[in-house]
Amino acid sequence: MGGYIIYNGFWNPKQPPEPVRALEAAGRKVGLPLLPLPNTMLLADMAQDVQVAGFSAADFVLFWDKDVRLAKAMERCGARVYNPAEGVRLCDDKAATHLALTGHRIPMPRTLVAPMTYLQMELDESRWFLRRAVDILGFPMVVKECYGSLGGQVYLAKDLPALEELVSHMGPRPFILQEFIEPAGRDVRLYVVGDKVVAAMQRRSDGDFRANVALGGETVPYTPTDEEVWMALRSCQLLGLDFGGVDLLHDKNGAPLLCEVNSNAHMAGISACTGVDVALCIMQYVREQEQKRKK
């Protein structure tokens, strides 16, 4: 019994990235060999029946990429994909994440979805929306591109000229606007695998409103409350994830707010911080699921 682990060959052209290598090693430990394959080595052929050249649908797929179309094609071929394509899609698009979780008693920062636009559109067309957003959210205001990772596409607007400049910079890229939550530079990540939170850490940054480790944030182990555990598990359940990293903020009263959910959150930082081998937890979960599926 074995499977494939798919990663992005454009982003990692020379060798599989560190998370893929960690999962491959964990797979060997649990008796589930994984064959790393870049998405650039696979070709989805959508004719009468969907076919993906380069893999066998009889095996499972650990999908460590955001190539949702490829993941959907693999599912159409009959493969069991971890995480499922729809879960990857919902997490990759921050607006879609919030829309999927809205109405399920999961507290989140107030979030506005920007109107869809096109190339070469004038900023004048969005001024009413921006001024209405200022009335609702005030300043400072968080601006997030819907597609991004590691905090690189998250910005802070402190006044209307800065907001207009950011929106002009976005062009046709979709984005959301969110209320700014104090204290800045603090968040909590809970790593969910199956129906358990297997690891949790707090991230802190004194020089940036974003707490991402990739941007210099420091980490300490964290013991989540029952409410935080419920929020993380329920969010992953609603999004259809087998595993994922759930990021929480806390308001001025200490109440948790869901910030975002990552379908393929990096594991090295939280494993080093907590001593929990998250990659091994994922592969143990996959082995259990595959044993059930084979029966």
Side-chain angles (χ1 to χ4, degrees):
M1 184 167 58
Y4 302 88
I5 180 166
I6 308 303
Y7 66 94
N8 192 279
F10 291 101
W11 193 256
N12 307 276
K14 295 183 179 180
Q15 66 174 351
E18 185 280 330
V20 171
R21 299 196 301 272
L23 288 162
E24 186 183 7
R28 288 194 296 269
K29 290 181 181 179
V30 303
L32 277 184
L34 291 172
L35 176 62
L37 276 178
N39 65 334
T40 49
M41 295 294 292
L42 297 163
L43 184 63
D45 184 358
M46 293 171 279
Q48 295 299 320
D49 295 314
V50 176
Q51 297 179 344
V52 179
F55 95 113
S56 169
D59 295 322
F60 70 87
V61 175
L62 190 57
F63 206 81
W64 205 262
D65 193 18
K66 297 180 179 180
D67 192 341
V68 175
R69 297 170 186 84
L70 176 60
K72 283 185 177 291
M74 289 179 156
E75 289 175 341
R76 287 285 298 275
C77 290
R80 171 63 163 96
V81 179
Y82 304 85
N83 280 304
E86 181 62 9
V88 175
R89 184 190 72 81
L90 291 173
C91 290
D92 190 31
D93 181 343
K94 293 179 175 61
T97 303
H98 286 276
L99 285 168
L101 298 180
T102 296
H104 293 280
R105 299 190 298 111
I106 297 174
M108 297 179 282
R110 192 161 186 186
T111 301
L112 307 178
V113 180
M116 181 180 176
T117 187
Y118 298 91
L119 286 169
Q120 300 176 336
M121 291 290 102
E122 295 294 332
L123 181 61
D124 288 346
E125 299 300 325
S126 65
R127 287 188 184 277
W128 182 89
F129 166 75
L130 294 182
R131 295 184 185 281
R132 184 73 181 110
V134 172
D135 291 341
I136 295 171
L137 302 178
F139 289 112
M141 183 189 303
V142 177
V143 182
K144 294 182 179 180
E145 296 185 33
C146 286
Y147 301 99
S149 58
L150 304 176
Q153 292 75 34
V154 180
Y155 316 95
L156 191 65
K158 298 183 178 180
D159 52 35
L160 185 58
L163 177 61
E164 291 180 338
E165 182 178 352
L166 276 172
V167 172
S168 179
H169 164 75
M170 296 293 183
R173 297 192 297 275
F175 64 95
I176 59 175
L177 305 176
Q178 286 186 323
E179 65 174 312
F180 180 70
I181 304 297
E182 291 280 12
R186 300 286 187 275
D187 73 6
V188 170
R189 168 160 288 180
L190 280 63
Y191 216 113
V192 173
V193 179
D195 59 357
K196 298 177 182 177
V197 172
V198 299
M201 66 179 178
Q202 185 181 63
R203 303 185 294 190
R204 305 172 180 172
S205 175
D206 294 328
D208 199 312
F209 77 98
R210 300 161 296 183
N212 301 73
V213 175
L215 300 176
E218 298 180 348
T219 64
V220 294
Y222 182 79
T223 301
T225 65
D226 290 344
E227 181 182 8
E228 291 166 345
V229 169
W230 177 85
M231 286 175 60
L233 294 178
R234 182 60 174 150
S235 297
C236 287
Q237 179 189 50
L238 290 167
L239 295 169
L241 298 180
D242 295 298
F243 52 85
V246 180
D247 296 342
L248 304 178
L249 303 172
H250 292 85
D251 66 18
K252 60 184 179 181
N253 298 316
L257 300 168
L258 185 129
C259 179
E260 62 182 60
V261 183
N262 300 275
S263 62
N264 50 355
H266 284 209
M267 301 168 291
I270 196 167
S271 292
C273 175
T274 63
V276 176
D277 189 340
V278 174
L280 183 60
C281 293
I282 291 175
M283 292 312 301
Q284 288 171 335
Y285 168 81
V286 172
R287 181 184 61 186
E288 292 172 2
Q289 297 304 305
E290 285 300 296
Q291 288 172 342
K292 293 177 183 177
R293 193 167 70 96
K294 296 300 182 183
K295 290 179 181 179

